[in-house]
Amino acid sequence: MKYNVKRFIEDITAQHAKTGQAQSRQTDLPPLPEPRIPLATYRLQFNGDFAFNQAREIVPYLSALGISHLYASPYLKARPGSRHGYDIIDHNMLNPEIGSDEEFERLCETLAQHGMGQVLDVVPNHMGVLGGDNAWWLDVLENGQTAAHAGFFDIDWAPIKPKLHGKVLLPVLGKHYGAALDNAELQLRFDAEHGEFGIYYFEHHFPVDPAEYPHILAFRMDALSVRLGEDNRLLMEYQSLVTAFHNLPSRGEVSPERQLERRRDKEVHKRQLAGLVAYSAEIARFLDENLYILNGKTGESSSFDQLHRLIEAQAYRLAFWRVASDEINYRRFFDINDLAGLRMENDEVFDATHQLLLRLIQEGKLDGLRLDHPDGLYDPEAYFFKLVEHCKRAGRAPYLVVEKILAADEDLRSSWPVQGTTGYEFTNLLNGLFVATSAAKRMQRVYHSFIGEHVNFDDLLYRSKKLIMKSALSGELNVLANLLSKIAEADRHTCDYTLNGLRTALAEIVACFPVYRGYINAYEVAPEDRRNIEQATVAAKRRSTTADASIFDFLREVLTLAAADGKSPAYAEQVLAFAMKFQQFTSPVMAKGLEDTSAYIYHRLLSLNEVGGDPRRFGVTRSAFHRANQLRAERSPHSMLATSSHDTKRSEDMRARLNVLSEIPAAWRLVLRQWRRTNRSLKHIVDGMLVPTRNDEYFIYQTLLGIWPAGEPDGNEMARFSARIKEYLVKALREAKVYTSWINPNVAYEDAVTGFAEALITSPVESAFLADFRPFQRRIARLGMFNSLSQTLIKLTVPGVPDIYQGCECWDFSLVDPDNRRPVDFDCRRTMLVGLQTLVAQASLQRVAGVRALCETLEDGRAKLLIVWLGLMLRERWPEVFQQGSYLPLAIRGEQAAHLCAYARRFGDRTVITVAPRFFVRLLGDAEMPPLGEKIWGNTSVELPSGLGDKQYTCVFTGKELKPQKRQSRWNISVAQILTEFPVGLVIGENGLAAEEL
């Protein structure tokens, strides 16, 4: 709904147009050409060990698999040694560690030769800083607010602390500033080639303000005069240069002309200094001596006084890393100090960061973009429209998906000009289909009984978000509170609200905010934004102990822009700026509080603790699953469908294993009791506490069940497995922030927990624990594979674009990053695919027998690969069915109806039917047979919609013809017929279809 802020919008439109905040929605522009929608993507993680050349080598394999688009992690120039590419330092260069321009071109050519395209993960929200390798950031540090790139970064130049006014806090020191200085860890150095001075701290480089160079150059000038002679031409040139540096306009200049003069002249003077030093060995030696003296002597604190004064005069404050949480004054990516937020709402920033991307789009080398962390942007919708507009100018329409985490009852904004999300919501929707919703309370009782306490997740999340704002993101909260205080002070009705009271109320509303963020802008306050703010305000009032509850009403009025009604344009602009910056803040608080704290504390069923998930939602009903797919088909039919990614906390196959626990809460309770008694002696006392705690122990058992290697691993594999588990547990414990954390590691506690896990893993096979654990785990693993096969087939056939994370076309049991970035054995997968191609090419009976035999060797992963390959081949053959076809839930009749999910995709005369079994515990009992044939499925049948009964139906996996039967005027296909040889069913119907076409 439109809000009546029109009175001040006109006054700020000119300024917003400059910064990109008032981006036109472009409704009157000519339509763009249609984007090339991927049929299927394959995510590759690029780094120094997997570069363009390695990717080019596997393109033929990906093409044979049925992938239409390579989906690449960021490969623009990032910090040296980056393993993920999100710490970009130059948006207009390819990362040299990943490959040269020529190697990139060869990759693009190879993709084109195979008819494939490319989707690139791009990072508009932030850049890598602090390492001394980001030219824009170094410009800001050298020149402060007058820097050409000062407006590129989201910096608060007037924070609450007066000493930080006009400065950027740099929390990089490993100890307190004074200690680092006295220990000679801060070193003043001279770059003779460029005529520049800088402060160095290990790998960090901080430029010195050129206007402060005279403090170095003129130090001990009398000694240089004696050495060269008063009338020496070089001395006079040197003295003149000192004066020139001294006369540079200061960092505080407000005149654009004087700022330009500073930028121009400082570079001229630097070149002159470099030339003078290169020409005169005496001057070079003199500067070396000055640096030696200024850098001080360890043990003599006063010898560092002049260096301290020089550092104090800079546009930055060097500080102990722990200071960041309270005093940081630049927006970061979450709480990562070396990732600084970009002001992408500034047109100049957009233009400077998108040159290469737009060229690659224009040249047809990129068909699509994955937009990383749009919730960090000031106005995501304005950015999307700006991107689309620039692509239009380039004559191309890219496929756009956003890395947006949607809350349980939240929809993607329909006004956004994107195809959909990267698929977190689908990850959790599909996973929930294999969780027995009826077991929610029983699993909760098992969990609470084991850990000996009741955990209310709502309260846990609230406390976790408050903890994040008190610790990691306290500085960002201070910035917001300062802005809010200025708004309050400007009105006599609100000027009595104190800074502390406003900060407290603000924290309460953020802690109670129900979604990651809102999207209010100068144009509208959407109804869902108003509802979320109202809900948060009511909840904050209820939880708050403050005496003056009216402060929450004031905050609500500001956040909904109602406070601007009838006020001056200047006041209204402050209100709008605060509301939008508030939205940038709620997202990292939710992410850190939910994903990186609460989800590492609450362990009822770990498969639910996924990025974009909600541990409170115990599974998804079949009808809810169908409704969600129908809505996606209507609203975002080309949204990405992910089951594993570089961000997921557990791989798809690991979650499929853990979901089996929801089917057996009683058995789970019994083994937990047994394992707790058996393993009590493996615990240790740390700080008077038995470690691991029961909650951590519960977490460890689930983790081992989900990731335990298949088959009979040898000693080397188990050693690697143990190392992976130990590294993961340390990360999980620190993310939980209960007894240890990244900020305050408790090594003794961590060692006790990892030692406990290692003792379990390395127990003798005949030990009491492994003798009980291994049979239970094998059963979980076996049933989990059937879950995996079903979810794989569903991902390939529901509305959307299926994405395969590298290696996950076969079994993959990985934990969170960096475990899920391990190298993939593509040679093995290539060989397996060739074998399957040979199998499917055989005569009918041999093919059927071969497919049936895959069920006897499930652990080798070929069954999953077969589903992926043939599913993608069908998408390639019938793209219109999957990209435009309707989604029809199919009724299931018979004794095992509850164990199936079935639906049809239909377009024209073509129909694709998916039959995916679930809940295998009750279906199979203790039998170790695969879920095949009439013995398992009895009289269960899938009912065909009207008009589909007279088609010729064929099983994609076996090539067998299937015969529908008519019962009581309705056509059905028996499940036993569909699932005679293979555990999942993919059936196609078309008049006159020949089996050999597949």
Side-chain angles (χ1 to χ4, degrees):
M1 124 182 136
K2 299 289 181 184
Y3 192 74
N4 62 343
V5 293
K6 294 180 180 177
R7 280 193 297 273
F8 72 87
I9 288 181
E10 291 181 1
D11 295 312
I12 62 174
T13 295
Q15 178 181 348
H16 285 171
K18 293 179 182 178
T19 61
Q21 296 171 18
Q23 183 70 37
S24 167
R25 293 306 181 255
Q26 308 299 332
T27 54
D28 56 342
L29 292 175
L32 280 167
E34 287 298 315
R36 180 185 175 190
I37 304 298
L39 281 168
T41 58
Y42 192 97
R43 172 77 178 203
L44 289 177
Q45 296 297 117
F46 284 96
N47 53 58
D49 297 324
F50 189 89
F52 294 139
N53 283 340
Q54 284 81 10
R56 183 166 58 88
E57 291 173 358
I58 67 167
V59 167
Y61 162 73
L62 297 181
S63 177
L65 188 61
I67 299 297
S68 71
H69 283 72
L70 185 153
Y71 171 24
S73 67
Y75 51 58
L76 303 185
K77 187 177 181 181
R79 173 143 300 144
S82 175
R83 305 301 294 176
H84 47 74
Y86 290 99
D87 45 359
I88 291 173
I89 59 175
D90 190 335
H91 287 81
N92 295 307
M93 284 185 63
L94 297 175
N95 191 337
E97 295 184 359
I98 294 175
S100 65
D101 290 350
E102 292 75 18
E103 289 167 336
F104 175 73
E105 291 294 329
R106 286 198 291 271
L107 171 60
C108 293
E109 290 169 2
T110 303
L111 288 169
Q113 289 166 4
H114 288 81
M116 292 175 61
Q118 188 178 171
V119 175
L120 176 62
D121 191 345
V122 298
V123 191
N125 175 67
H126 56 266
M127 288 187 79
V129 297
L130 298 185
D133 44 22
N134 185 324
W136 296 350
W137 185 253
L138 293 177
D139 175 36
V140 173
L141 299 187
E142 182 181 68
N143 302 292
Q145 291 170 270
T146 64
H149 299 95
F152 279 43
F153 299 97
D154 200 347
I155 300 170
D156 179 14
W157 294 102
I160 296 174
K161 193 170 184 177
K163 193 175 181 181
L164 272 177
H165 282 205
K167 292 178 179 285
V168 182
L169 180 76
L170 302 181
V172 298
L173 305 180
K175 58 188 67 166
H176 290 286
Y177 166 75
L181 185 69
D182 289 352
N183 201 40
E185 293 175 7
L186 297 171
Q187 290 286 303
L188 177 64
R189 297 178 191 170
F190 179 61
D191 179 350
E193 181 181 354
H194 298 96
E196 296 177 336
F197 290 98
I199 307 295
Y200 286 79
Y201 178 74
F202 298 102
E203 75 275 15
H204 298 287
H205 164 218
F206 314 106
V208 171
D209 181 350
E212 304 297 333
Y213 281 17
H215 292 289
I216 307 166
L217 298 174
F219 180 58
R220 298 172 55 248
M221 181 67 82
D222 54 345
L224 183 62
S225 299
V226 170
R227 190 175 300 177
L228 294 178
E230 291 290 346
D231 297 328
N232 187 287
R233 178 183 60 82
L234 291 176
L235 177 64
M236 289 187 285
E237 187 177 342
Y238 183 84
Q239 291 171 330
S240 175
L241 194 55
V242 172
T243 301
F245 276 115
H246 180 76
N247 290 334
L248 281 173
S250 73
R251 299 193 308 267
E253 278 289 352
V254 295
S255 164
E257 292 78 13
R258 291 281 284 167
Q259 291 178 5
L260 183 61
E261 178 186 343
R262 172 188 166 93
R263 295 172 197 162
R264 180 190 64 235
D265 290 355
K266 71 181 178 66
E267 295 304 317
V268 173
H269 301 337
K270 286 179 187 178
R271 288 194 294 271
Q272 292 175 335
L273 178 60
L276 194 58
V277 170
Y279 183 80
S280 172
E282 285 294 335
I283 292 178
R285 187 160 49 250
F286 171 73
L287 286 182
D288 286 343
E289 293 168 358
N290 280 1
L291 294 181
Y292 178 77
I293 296 170
L294 291 172
N295 279 324
K297 292 183 180 180
T298 304
E300 297 180 17
S301 183
S302 61
S303 68
F304 297 96
D305 289 351
Q306 294 185 74
L307 179 58
H308 168 63
R309 284 192 288 272
L310 179 66
I311 294 174
E312 285 280 283
Q314 303 310 309
Y316 48 83
R317 181 199 160 202
L318 300 179
F320 185 29
W321 66 270
R322 290 181 182 272
V323 174
S325 60
D326 290 328
E327 296 187 354
I328 197 81
N329 64 329
Y330 60 90
R331 183 172 58 85
R332 303 166 290 173
F333 174 72
F334 296 107
D335 58 348
I336 303 175
N337 296 334
D338 56 0
L339 294 178
L342 288 169
R343 294 186 65 237
M344 198 54 68
E345 65 272 19
N346 184 329
D347 283 344
E348 188 179 0
V349 179
F350 182 94
D351 293 340
T353 54
H354 286 71
Q355 295 171 22
L356 176 58
L357 283 177
L358 291 171
R359 177 171 65 80
L360 295 178
I361 290 171
Q362 184 178 34
E363 294 173 353
K365 290 170 180 151
L366 293 179
D367 285 330
L369 301 176
R370 180 248 198 206
L371 304 175
D372 179 69
H373 193 52
D375 275 354
L377 300 175
Y378 187 74
D379 187 347
E381 182 173 338
Y383 170 76
F384 301 148
F385 274 98
K386 188 185 299 184
L387 180 61
V388 169
E389 180 189 6
H390 281 73
C391 290
K392 176 186 178 299
R393 294 173 185 169
R396 303 274 297 187
Y399 169 72
L400 298 179
V401 288
V402 293
E403 190 226 8
K404 166 61 188 168
I405 298 177
L406 297 168
D409 299 314
E410 183 183 12
D411 295 323
L412 187 69
R413 298 298 168 103
S414 59
S415 59
W416 290 1
V418 300
Q419 271 67 46
T421 72
T422 54
Y424 294 147
E425 71 282 357
F426 177 76
T427 301
N428 293 281
L429 174 76
L430 178 56
N431 182 74
L433 185 66
F434 297 90
V435 174
T437 57
S438 61
K441 291 183 178 179
R442 283 176 291 167
M443 286 292 287
Q444 187 161 313
R445 286 195 296 269
V446 171
Y447 175 47
H448 290 163
S449 174
F450 186 89
I451 67 174
E453 61 178 304
H454 177 84
V455 181
N456 182 293
F457 191 84
D458 291 334
D459 292 339
L460 172 62
L461 178 57
Y462 169 80
R463 294 194 306 270
S464 296
K465 292 170 76 172
K466 294 289 287 287
L467 173 64
I468 293 301
M469 287 185 282
K470 183 179 179 181
S471 54
L473 298 179
S474 177
E476 285 83 350
L477 181 62
N478 288 337
V479 170
L480 269 181
N482 194 26
L483 292 174
L484 184 62
S485 180
K486 291 175 182 177
I487 294 172
E489 289 172 355
D491 189 319
R492 65 177 181 267
H493 299 99
T494 57
C495 61
D496 283 343
Y497 293 139
T498 66
L499 176 61
N500 185 58
L502 290 167
R503 190 183 190 279
T504 300
L506 185 59
E508 287 291 339
I509 286 185
V510 174
C512 297
F513 210 71
V515 295
Y516 277 71
R517 66 162 285 173
Y519 300 97
I520 291 171
N521 53 39
Y523 295 92
E524 66 176 343
V525 179
E528 53 262 54
D529 289 321
R530 188 179 301 282
R531 284 195 302 269
N532 290 332
I533 292 169
E534 183 64 34
Q535 181 179 334
T537 303
V538 171
K541 278 185 178 181
R542 186 172 62 248
R543 286 186 179 271
S544 175
T545 57
T546 183
D548 188 356
S550 68
I551 197 168
F552 292 104
D553 298 324
F554 166 64
L555 248 173
R556 180 187 59 220
E557 297 296 289
V558 171
L559 291 174
T560 58
L561 308 186
D565 194 20
K567 299 294 176 59
S568 69
Y571 182 91
E573 186 173 0
Q574 278 188 302
V575 169
L576 177 63
F578 172 81
M580 295 183 73
K581 283 187 173 294
F582 170 86
Q583 296 174 148
Q584 287 178 290
F585 181 63
T586 59
S587 177
V589 173
M590 176 69 94
K592 297 296 293 181
L594 174 57
E595 300 167 37
D596 293 343
T597 304
S598 301
Y600 282 102
I601 297 174
Y602 185 80
H603 306 321
R604 176 174 58 168
L605 183 62
L606 290 182
S607 56
L608 302 177
N609 295 18
E610 193 49 81
V611 57
D614 187 339
R616 291 167 291 195
R617 298 187 68 190
F618 200 88
V620 174
T621 64
R622 192 167 53 191
S623 58
F625 178 76
H626 286 316
R627 282 197 302 273
N629 288 326
Q630 289 171 321
L631 286 174
R632 190 183 323 106
E634 295 170 8
R635 299 174 180 176
S636 53
H638 307 311
S639 190
M640 195 171 274
L641 307 174
T643 44
S644 290
S645 78
H646 61 287
D647 282 328
T648 46
K649 298 187 183 301
R650 294 163 191 87
S651 69
E652 60 200 58
D653 297 322
M654 183 178 176
R655 291 194 305 272
R657 282 182 176 180
L658 293 178
N659 287 338
V660 177
L661 295 177
S662 71
E663 302 181 59
I664 52 170
W668 176 228
R669 182 183 67 249
L670 291 176
V671 296
L672 283 170
R673 290 177 179 175
Q674 176 63 30
W675 297 344
R676 183 172 62 194
R677 287 193 299 267
T678 300
N679 299 322
R680 183 179 177 82
S681 62
L682 301 178
K683 296 189 176 188
H684 294 82
I685 300 293
V686 178
D687 299 329
M689 178 173 55
L690 200 59
V691 178
T693 64
R694 288 186 175 185
N695 196 43
D696 291 337
E697 186 179 2
Y698 192 91
F699 177 86
I700 291 171
Y701 291 143
Q702 283 193 76
T703 300
L704 292 180
L705 285 172
I707 197 177
W708 195 271
E712 298 294 336
D714 60 22
N716 290 332
E717 184 176 352
M718 290 306 294
R720 291 192 297 270
F721 173 68
S722 181
R724 289 170 57 205
I725 289 290
K726 291 167 69 175
E727 181 182 9
Y728 169 69
L729 287 177
V730 170
K731 179 169 185 172
L733 293 169
R734 292 183 180 181
E735 294 288 7
K737 307 170 193 65
V738 178
Y739 300 109
T740 184
S741 67
W742 295 108
I743 296 177
N744 292 302
N746 184 339
V747 177
Y749 183 87
E750 293 169 1
D751 287 347
V753 173
T754 58
F756 177 84
E758 184 176 29
L760 298 181
I761 294 168
T762 58
S763 298
V765 175
E766 65 277 7
S767 67
F769 171 67
L770 283 187
D772 192 57
F773 173 83
R774 291 185 71 187
F776 185 82
Q777 193 279 331
R778 282 183 179 134
R779 185 186 182 203
I780 295 293
R782 183 170 177 277
L783 298 177
M785 286 189 287
F786 294 130
N787 279 344
S788 291
L789 298 180
S790 287
Q791 73 177 4
T792 299
L793 178 59
I794 290 173
K795 178 175 73 171
L796 298 172
T797 56
V798 295
V801 177
D803 173 54
I804 312 296
Y805 183 69
Q806 58 177 31
C808 287
E809 64 270 32
C810 296
W811 301 133
D812 181 87
F813 301 97
S814 294
L815 296 160
V816 74
D817 169 67
D819 192 62
N820 59 19
R821 298 181 193 268
R822 289 171 296 144
V824 176
D825 188 345
F826 285 108
D827 288 338
C828 175
R829 284 159 175 76
R830 187 184 292 110
T831 300
M832 291 171 63
L833 180 59
V834 170
L836 291 175
Q837 290 170 332
T838 302
L839 185 156
V840 170
Q842 291 177 337
S844 179
L845 292 178
Q846 292 172 304
R847 172 177 173 175
V848 170
V851 170
R852 174 62 178 83
L854 295 179
C855 299
E856 306 302 326
T857 58
L858 284 178
E859 288 184 349
D860 63 22
R862 290 183 300 154
K864 185 178 182 184
L865 182 59
L866 179 76
I867 294 171
V868 172
W869 169 49
L870 291 180
L872 294 181
M873 287 293 100
L874 181 59
R875 292 182 67 88
E876 188 176 287
R877 181 178 292 273
W878 286 3
E880 69 284 353
V881 174
F882 297 99
Q883 294 187 330
Q884 304 171 54
S886 58
Y887 178 92
L888 306 172
L890 299 181
I892 305 166
R893 312 292 182 192
E895 54 193 300
Q896 306 295 2
H899 294 275
L900 289 167
C901 176
Y903 53 88
R905 302 297 310 281
R906 186 179 185 183
F907 185 86
D909 290 335
R910 291 175 169 173
T911 303
V912 175
I913 295 174
T914 295
V915 178
R918 60 177 185 154
F919 302 153
F920 295 95
V921 172
R922 186 158 55 88
L923 183 67
L924 298 177
D926 294 328
E928 295 198 0
M929 67 178 67
L932 303 177
E934 190 172 350
K935 185 174 181 181
I936 298 297
W937 296 107
N939 64 356
T940 310
S941 63
V942 174
E943 186 176 296
L944 300 177
S946 175
L948 296 186
D950 58 349
K951 291 184 180 295
Q952 179 179 334
Y953 289 97
T954 305
C955 174
V956 170
F957 301 125
T958 63
K960 286 177 55 177
E961 182 179 342
L962 303 176
K963 299 185 181 300
Q965 295 180 337
K966 197 170 186 179
R967 297 175 183 172
Q968 298 177 346
S969 76
R970 292 186 179 275
W971 288 94
N972 298 267
I973 301 181
S974 74
V975 174
Q977 185 185 181
I978 298 171
L979 304 181
T980 299
E981 289 86 17
F982 203 62
V984 296
L986 181 59
V987 178
I988 53 177
E990 184 183 31
N991 292 334
L993 181 71
E996 56 269 18
E997 290 184 48
L998 300 171

